[in-house]
Amino acid sequence: MKRGLEMESGGCKRCGSEASVKSGRVRGLQRYRCKECGYHFTATPPRGKPAAMKALALLLYAMGNASFCSIARILHVSDVSILKWVRAEAQKLPIPEVSGETVVLTLDEMWHFLKKNRQALGLARV
């Protein structure tokens, strides 16, 4: 392999080609130029968290025993990140279909009114 073609990253971030040469430095990082497409890039790690961490967060949330904050504390990320991961996965799910056998029940709300106004109505406590 020629000198200058060696690189720590997986290849060009645009076209995926392994043919690249060193092309200076930017902000203290080695810069590369792709020989195929001419794209300049640096060998930086990909952004975001690993898919396994997101899957674990979703599993903990789906079990129903952990809140967003407790999952965030375990995984050392923000609770907003957990919320976004859960919402993104929920968007991928199909919309549930309602079967024709659904029964609608109407409950009398008088018990709520009576419980709330027991003293006002002069009812004794049971």
Side-chain angles (χ1 to χ4, degrees), residues 70-81:
S70 63
I71 296 169
R73 241 180 273 120
I74 293 168
L75 299 178
H76 303 290
V77 294
S78 73
D79 54 337
V80 178
S81 296

Side-chain angles (χ1 to χ4, degrees), residues 17-106:
S17 172
E18 292 291 328
S20 59
V21 291
K22 290 184 178 181
S23 180
R25 295 183 77 79
V26 61
R27 294 189 205 120
L29 297 171
Q30 180 64 54
R31 189 174 184 198
Y32 298 95
R33 184 181 57 82
C34 178
K35 284 185 153 186
E36 300 286 326
C37 65
Y39 183 68
H40 282 91
F41 60 96
T42 57
T44 54
R47 294 181 60 172
K49 296 293 180 184
M53 181 183 284
K54 293 179 182 181
L56 177 61
L58 292 170
L59 181 66
L60 289 171
Y61 180 72
M63 287 174 35
N65 296 332
S67 66
F68 290 133
C69 290
S70 63
I71 296 169
R73 241 180 273 120
I74 293 168
L75 299 178
H76 303 290
V77 294
S78 73
D79 54 337
V80 178
S81 296
I82 305 295
L83 173 69
K84 288 181 179 180
W85 295 345
V86 170
R87 281 186 178 167
E89 285 300 315
Q91 296 256 330
K92 295 177 186 177
L93 295 174
I95 297 172
E97 293 184 22
V98 180
S99 66
E101 301 172 7
T102 305
V103 178
V104 178
L105 297 176
T106 306

